[in-house]
Amino acid sequence: MAKSKKSKEKDQERQAKKEYKVITERKLKHGLELVETKEYEEAEKLLKEVLQRDLQQPLAFKGISKIAFHAGEFKLAALAMKGAVEIDPDNPEYYYDLGFMFFSSGHMDLAVEQFLNAIRIDDTNAVYFNELGGAFKALNQLDQAIKAFDFALERDPELFFSWHNRGICHVSAGNVEQGIFDLEKGLEFRPDHIPTWRSLIQFKKFDTLEDGKAFIDDMLSKLSGPPQSNYDFGRINIAISQIYQQFDEIDDAFEYLEAGNKQIHEDMKDNGYKFENVLQYQFNIKEVFTPEFVERQPPHGDEQTMPLYIIGMPRSGTTLIDQALATHTKVHSEGELNNINDFLNDLKGEIAMQGIEPPQPHPYTMNQVSPNRFRILGQQYDNSLAKRWPEKTYMIDKTPSNYYYLGLIKSMLPNTKFIHCKRDPMACCFSNFQQVWASEDTWHYTYDLYEVGKYYRQVYEPLMEHWERLYPESILSLQYEDMVDDASTDILDKVGPALIDTAQFDKSESTRDFDTLKVVASEDLKELLSKPYDGLTFSTDSNGVATVETA
C-alpha cells in the first residue's frame, strides 16, 4: 500500500533530522580533534558552528573552553565550561575542568568549590582529590591540603603528584622528616621529576660533602635519559650548586649556579625572550601614565576600598610584610592573585565589542578607557571582595609584579594603598639569581647576573620612581633590612597607621601568630563544605577555615 503524502513528509523530516544530527556530530568530532592537534582557529570555527546547530552540546563548550584557556582568556574559558556543566550537571569531569580553570586564573576558593562538586559525584577519583589538595595548598591551608592528598593516595597509592605535593605541605608545616619521606616515595613512581629532586636537595641535610656528592650521583643515574632542554639542564645544575653551598664550597657552588642560569637563560632567548622588550615596556608605561592622565581620573569619593597591594622586586620581603599584616584580625591575605590580566582582558573585550577601534596592548589600552569605566570596574572589584570576606576590612594582594600595573589599579581604586618593599640592590639581585621560578614564563631576566642588575637599575627603579612622583600619598616604601628582625606587631606599628584608617586599625587586634596565615572561605563555600557526602565531611570552623574529616 502506497504511503500517504503526509506520511512521506514525516519520513523526509525524520531523515533530514537524522542527517542534520550526523553532520553536527561529524563537525563536533572534527572540531575536538583540531583542539587536540592545537589547530585552534579552525577548531573554534567548527565548534561554534556546532553550537549554532545545537546548543545542547557540552563537548563543544568544553572544546571552546580549552581554546580560550590556551589564549589566556581564563574568564571566557570558565564561562564556556559553565555552559557544559549546565547542560550535563551529572558529569564530574566538567566540574573538574571548571575547577581547573579557576585554579589556573588564581581563584582558589572557587576552584575548591568545583573540585568538591566533582568529588560529590565521584569520590573514587584520586585526581579530583589531588587537585583539591593543590587548591588548599595554594590557599596555604596546609592541614586541609594534606588531608585531601591523603584521600588521593588512598585511592591511588601510585599518584606521583600527590606524594610530591603532600611532601611539600609537610615541610611547610614543619614536618620535614615526613615531607622528605613523601618526596622520596614519589620518586619511586617518577624518578625523572627534576623539581622533586630539587626539593629534596633543599630540604635534606647531608652530614658530609661526600654524602652530598653520592646523592648527586644517585640523582643523575635515576633521571631517565638526558634532559630534553637547556631549561632542564639548568635546573639540575642549580640544584647541585645548593649541595656545595651547604658545605661552603663557594667556588664550586657558584660554578654550577652560573652554568645552570646560563642554560635556562639561553633556553628563554631561544623561545623569544628579549631584554629590550622589557625595557621598552617600562618606557611605554611612563608614556601613558602621565600627570595629565592622572588628572583625567576623578576621585571616587570617600568610600573605603579593601585591597592593599604589596609590591616590589621578587625576593624583596613581600612575603614577610604580607604575613605580618595578615596576623591582624581585620586583614585577609589573598597571596599572589595575578588577576590584573582579568581586568585587561575585560577591557579589551569591551573595546572590541564597541567596534570603534581595535583594542591596543597594555599600557595603551588605558587611553581607550573612560574614567567612568575605571570607576565601575573598581566598584565591582571592591564589592566582590567585600562579599567574599564580609568580616574583613582589608585584603592583601602581594603579587610583586603589580608595580607594572600600579597606574591601572589607581585608576580603578584611587583610594587604595601600596606597600613598596625595597632591599639592598646587590642582595636582591643575587637572591633572584639563585632562584628557579616555578613557571618557565616568569622573571626571565633573573637568570643572568648582569641582566638582573640592568633590570633593577633601568626598569624597576625608574618605574617605581615614576609612580612615587605620580602617587606620592599612596605608596609607603619599606626597607627589607629594617624589617627582617622586627616582630609582626612592630611591623604593624610601622605599616598600619601609614596605610590604614587608624580609626579602624587597632594593633591590639593582631593575633600575634606570625607563623600562621588563615584563609577564610567564602559564604557559598562554607555552605557547600558543611554538607557531608559519601563518608566525607568538609566543614568550616568559627573563623571559616575549611577542614576535611571522615564522617
Side-chain angles (χ1 to χ4, degrees):
M1 182 176 178
K3 289 185 176 181
S4 66
K5 181 179 179 181
K6 189 173 183 179
S7 178
K8 286 181 179 180
E9 288 175 349
K10 286 185 176 180
D11 287 345
Q12 290 172 351
E13 184 180 348
R14 280 194 293 268
Q15 183 62 28
K17 287 182 177 180
K18 183 178 179 181
E19 291 176 358
Y20 189 88
K21 182 178 180 181
V22 169
I23 292 172
T24 302
E25 290 176 348
R26 188 181 301 142
K27 286 179 177 289
L28 175 61
K29 181 181 178 182
H30 186 39
L32 295 175
E33 288 172 348
L34 290 173
V35 172
E36 293 305 313
T37 57
K38 300 183 179 181
E39 298 173 69
Y40 296 120
E41 186 175 347
E42 186 63 27
E44 184 177 11
K45 187 186 303 182
L46 274 173
L47 294 174
K48 285 182 177 178
E49 284 183 27
V50 169
L51 292 174
Q52 288 173 351
R53 298 170 69 90
D54 180 6
L55 269 174
Q56 300 300 307
Q57 291 286 350
L59 287 176
F61 279 106
K62 180 174 180 177
I64 289 174
S65 177
K66 283 187 175 182
I67 295 168
F69 180 79
H70 171 77
E73 297 179 1
F74 297 118
K75 184 172 290 187
L76 177 58
L79 286 173
M81 278 312 307
K82 281 185 177 180
V85 166
E86 290 174 2
I87 296 168
D88 187 2
D90 295 324
N91 190 326
E93 281 295 310
Y94 295 153
Y95 292 103
Y96 167 78
D97 289 338
L98 182 56
F100 184 78
M101 301 299 171
F102 286 132
F103 185 98
S104 300
S105 57
H107 297 90
M108 296 303 165
D109 56 335
L110 297 176
V112 166
E113 181 178 351
Q114 297 308 322
F115 292 142
L116 284 171
N117 281 336
I119 291 170
R120 293 174 71 127
I121 298 171
D122 178 9
D123 69 351
T124 66
N125 193 310
V127 174
Y128 298 164
F129 282 99
N130 180 70
E131 297 305 319
L132 175 65
F136 278 131
K137 176 174 174 280
L139 288 168
N140 206 34
Q141 294 191 27
L142 298 179
D143 290 343
Q144 295 83 349
I146 289 169
K147 289 176 182 177
F149 293 132
D150 288 345
F151 288 131
L153 291 170
E154 286 175 9
R155 286 150 180 78
D156 183 359
E158 297 184 8
L159 189 59
F160 158 75
F161 284 109
S162 288
W163 287 110
H164 174 87
N165 290 324
R166 194 176 75 171
I168 298 297
C169 288
H170 275 304
V171 171
S172 299
N175 191 352
V176 178
E177 185 176 350
Q178 181 62 48
I180 290 174
F181 173 85
D182 284 353
L183 292 169
E184 291 178 335
K185 187 69 176 179
L187 286 173
E188 293 179 14
F189 306 108
R190 182 78 180 275
D192 62 344
H193 193 248
I194 294 173
T196 302
W197 287 107
R198 287 185 53 245
S199 296
L200 277 174
I201 289 174
Q202 181 180 354
F203 303 140
K204 285 177 73 74
K205 299 300 180 184
F206 302 100
D207 293 330
T208 66
L209 179 58
E210 293 306 312
D211 291 338
K213 289 180 178 179
F215 181 89
I216 293 171
D217 292 339
D218 181 50
M219 174 182 70
L220 296 176
S221 69
K222 289 181 178 176
L223 290 173
S224 57
Q228 298 299 308
S229 68
N230 273 330
Y231 184 78
D232 288 336
F233 274 117
R235 290 191 298 169
I236 292 171
N237 279 323
I238 291 174
I240 291 173
S241 77
Q242 293 174 336
I243 291 179
Y244 283 99
Q245 192 170 351
Q246 283 187 32
F247 297 96
D248 293 327
E249 298 288 341
I250 303 303
D251 290 341
D252 288 330
F254 187 78
E255 181 180 344
Y256 280 103
L257 177 65
E258 187 176 39
N261 275 288
K262 183 176 181 180
Q263 288 162 327
I264 294 175
H265 196 249
E266 289 297 323
D267 182 79
M268 291 179 168
K269 288 195 294 185
D270 289 343
N271 286 285
Y273 161 69
K274 293 181 179 179
F275 180 78
E276 292 77 13
N277 294 341
V278 180
L279 184 60
Q280 185 61 48
Y281 186 46
Q282 177 253 150
F283 291 140
N284 296 345
I285 291 172
K286 292 194 289 187
E287 180 184 353
V288 169
F289 291 98
T290 62
E292 293 74 23
F293 179 94
V294 174
E295 289 176 5
R296 293 199 300 270
Q297 313 305 317
H300 298 186
D302 298 325
E303 69 267 27
Q304 179 60 46
T305 185
M306 284 189 74
L308 295 171
Y309 291 88
I310 302 176
I311 57 176
M313 281 281 288
R315 314 296 295 170
S316 63
T318 56
T319 301
L320 173 69
I321 303 302
D322 174 57
Q323 292 186 345
L325 285 177
T327 64
H328 196 280
T329 58
K330 289 185 178 180
V331 178
H332 166 71
S333 172
E334 283 275 9
E336 297 185 13
L337 280 175
N338 294 303
N339 64 348
I340 297 301
N341 278 328
D342 289 345
F343 293 113
L344 291 174
N345 287 331
D346 286 347
L347 291 171
K348 290 176 183 177
E350 291 170 9
I351 294 167
M353 288 179 66
Q354 292 170 2
I356 301 172
E357 55 183 335
Q360 298 181 25
H362 186 72
Y364 296 109
T365 312
M366 301 300 99
N367 289 327
Q368 299 176 293
V369 181
S370 70
N372 187 56
R373 185 61 190 134
F374 280 128
R375 177 182 180 179
I376 292 171
L377 278 173
Q379 288 175 338
Q380 290 174 341
Y381 184 48
D382 223 12
N383 291 340
S384 70
L385 293 174
K387 183 177 180 181
R388 288 167 63 192
W389 314 111
E391 68 274 41
K392 300 295 180 179
T393 307
Y394 298 98
M395 185 280 299
I396 298 173
D397 178 355
K398 64 167 288 287
T399 308
S401 60
N402 274 339
Y403 59 79
Y404 281 128
Y405 306 109
L406 195 149
L408 166 60
I409 295 168
K410 284 293 294 181
S411 298
M412 295 192 304
L413 302 164
N415 298 323
T416 199
K417 305 290 187 179
F418 299 83
I419 303 171
H420 174 208
C421 294
K422 302 172 70 173
R423 187 178 180 185
D424 175 79
M426 182 67 76
C428 186
C429 290
F430 191 71
S431 182
N432 274 269
F433 187 65
Q434 291 179 293
Q435 184 73 26
V436 177
W437 306 103
S439 171
E440 296 182 40
D441 299 322
T442 305
W443 309 113
H444 302 81
Y445 56 84
T446 63
Y447 294 102
D448 181 275
L449 200 52
Y450 174 67
E451 205 163 89
V452 70
K454 277 182 35 174
Y455 179 89
Y456 193 100
R457 292 300 192 197
Q458 297 181 17
V459 178
Y460 158 69
E461 278 192 333
L463 189 55
M464 283 309 308
E465 289 169 0
H466 179 73
W467 295 133
E468 287 168 348
R469 285 192 296 270
L470 288 181
Y471 307 107
E473 303 300 321
S474 300
I475 302 171
L476 172 68
S477 293
L478 299 176
Q479 192 68 31
Y480 172 78
E481 288 77 11
D482 295 339
M483 291 287 173
V484 70
D485 294 325
D486 284 349
S488 60
T489 49
D490 292 330
I491 293 176
L492 291 172
D493 268 335
K494 296 176 181 179
V495 175
L499 291 178
I500 302 174
D501 182 359
T502 53
Q504 299 188 57
F505 191 88
D506 181 359
K507 187 189 73 173
S508 66
E509 295 184 50
S510 170
T511 63
R512 300 176 185 269
D513 185 1
F514 189 61
D515 296 323
T516 300
L517 184 62
K518 293 184 177 180
V519 180
V520 182
S522 67
E523 289 301 317
D524 291 341
L525 187 55
K526 287 181 185 178
E527 180 181 354
L528 177 64
L529 294 176
S530 66
K531 298 176 181 177
Y533 64 96
D534 295 339
L536 303 176
T537 299
F538 287 78
S539 60
T540 54
D541 64 19
S542 59
N543 293 318
V545 179
T547 57
V548 188
E549 300 171 350
T550 55

